[in-house]
Amino acid sequence: ADGVYGVAKKHATVMKAMPSLHGYENKIGYITNGVSVSNWQHPEFRGAAKLEDEALIALKEKRKLELIEWLWKRYSLWVNWRERVRGKCIVLWTRRITSYKRFDVLESLLKNPEYKARFLKTDIVALIGGRIHQNDDLSQNVIFNLLDLVTRDEALKDRVIVLDNYNIFDAPKLFYGADASVMLSDNGREASATGFMKAQVNGAVVLASSDGAVPESVAFAKNAQSFDGMNGFEVPYHNNEPLPEGLLNAFESLHAVYKNKSARAKMMRAAFNAEPQVSVDRTAKEIMALYDRLN
């Protein structure tokens, strides 16, 4: 081929370093994946930039109340679940479930008594879901172990909800109401996930490791004082892996921001501001430019 592209800048960097592609480095570029904003963003968020902080937060809370009501009915949750989670921070972790996407990090966090206690002190409710290949026994064990853990623990059952049959029809409802989205992977293994992009166009903060397309639209907050232009919290790598403590620290940082209306609004606005980068319109224009260059 005269030209090929990875689906994120980091993806192209990894491809260029692969021994099997040695000699083809100059042909490898990147065109980052995007999402259809018209399909994934709630219509009421299209004027979000013009809203005052209070109105912006109120709009997200409205969407979240609708999400909680829908979850309660869709998954036949216990009668008082709606009241117990109302006002809490909803974190969405929905991805294709496979080993390198590291759902096991959450299981390890919740099995650690100290980490579990710290998680329960936050106002976070985690919604977990995804699709598993029918022959991927390892990934099935990860998600079923997590399900077994949270259903046996009275303290966790309100706070970690494992969603069965996650699908394209239910997904928009989840993204409309979520306050944050998680994207973890082992370093260099993610090509370009798009779930966190669907969250960003609905004003959600991203908790992520710096892989795939994350570095291109997520600006990680570095401290608890400045949130201008920041729309995420990093789960750092240790020996190329995300760790439970890193995820917990991100949860706690999110909790602190959630309680601070000014900081929360700033991070929501920064998430919405990522729209031009994560839009599939940008992807299409770059593909057309590649076609023109090679043609």
Side-chain angles (χ1 to χ4, degrees):
D2 292 319
V4 298
Y5 62 89
V7 292
K9 182 178 181 179
K10 186 169 181 178
H11 187 207
T13 300
V14 170
M15 290 170 65
K16 289 179 179 182
M18 292 171 63
S20 59
L21 295 177
H22 179 68
Y24 297 99
E25 295 88 347
N26 292 336
K27 292 186 175 184
I28 299 172
Y30 70 94
I31 298 175
T32 305
N33 281 347
V35 298
S36 172
V37 176
S38 62
N39 286 336
W40 287 102
Q41 184 182 67
H42 193 281
E44 289 191 10
F45 285 135
R46 288 169 197 166
K50 300 176 182 179
L51 298 176
E52 297 293 331
D53 287 359
E54 290 281 349
L56 181 63
I57 291 172
L59 183 57
K60 172 56 80 169
E61 289 299 307
K62 176 184 175 183
R63 298 276 79 79
K64 188 161 59 178
L65 283 174
E66 292 174 357
L67 171 59
I68 289 171
E69 183 73 17
W70 176 82
L71 284 166
W72 181 70
K73 294 177 180 177
R74 167 69 174 78
Y75 293 99
S76 301
L77 299 174
W78 35 105
V79 65
N80 62 350
W81 181 81
R82 289 179 301 177
E83 287 68 36
R84 292 169 71 93
V85 302
R86 187 166 293 159
K88 295 189 181 298
C89 180
I90 302 293
V91 176
L92 184 62
W93 192 349
T94 50
R95 310 193 64 200
R96 180 171 64 87
I97 298 173
T98 190
S99 57
Y100 75 84
K101 295 180 185 282
R102 301 310 304 267
F103 281 88
D104 62 301
V105 172
L106 180 60
E107 180 188 357
S108 297
L109 186 160
L110 297 176
K111 281 185 173 180
N112 181 307
E114 177 192 346
Y115 291 173
K116 172 188 161 185
R118 286 169 57 186
F119 171 77
L120 290 171
K121 286 182 180 179
T122 71
D123 264 344
I124 288 171
V125 175
L127 309 179
I128 312 297
R131 309 296 288 186
I132 309 173
H133 190 277
Q134 62 267 27
N135 294 328
D136 187 352
D137 292 337
L138 176 61
S139 297
Q140 290 192 44
N141 286 338
V142 167
I143 205 68
F144 286 128
N145 287 343
L146 180 60
L147 179 61
D148 184 63
L149 174 66
V150 300
T151 53
R152 290 173 179 266
D153 191 320
E154 285 295 319
L156 290 174
K157 75 171 190 174
D158 282 343
R159 304 288 297 280
V160 181
I161 306 298
V162 180
L163 311 174
D164 68 298
N165 192 30
Y166 176 70
N167 60 72
I168 192 69
F169 306 105
D170 291 347
K173 300 179 182 67
L174 296 164
F175 286 110
Y176 293 162
D179 294 297
S181 175
V182 177
M183 200 226 80
L184 300 188
S185 69
D186 290 332
N187 193 17
R189 294 296 303 277
E190 183 60 64
S192 176
T194 59
F196 75 93
M197 300 178 187
K198 297 161 188 168
Q200 284 185 302
V201 299
N202 288 288
V205 175
V206 178
L207 315 181
S209 49
S210 189
D211 203 17
V214 165
E216 297 173 56
S217 68
V218 181
F220 294 127
K222 301 298 183 183
N223 57 63
Q225 283 73 46
S226 178
F227 297 98
D228 290 330
M230 303 293 104
N231 56 18
F233 294 104
E234 184 173 15
V235 180
Y237 286 122
H238 180 75
N239 293 330
N240 292 317
E241 295 183 353
L243 297 181
E245 185 174 10
L247 177 60
L248 178 60
N249 289 337
F251 280 151
E252 290 176 329
S253 296
L254 173 65
H255 166 75
V257 163
Y258 187 74
K259 293 298 185 182
N260 181 329
K261 287 186 176 181
S262 176
R264 182 183 176 191
K266 286 180 179 179
M267 296 196 80
M268 288 177 66
R269 293 187 193 283
F272 283 121
N273 288 342
E275 182 179 320
Q277 171 60 30
V278 303
S279 172
V280 75
D281 292 347
R282 188 260 321 140
T283 304
K285 290 175 182 176
E286 293 181 9
I287 291 174
M288 291 168 66
L290 174 67
Y291 175 83
D292 291 339
R293 178 171 61 84
L294 296 179
N295 203 31

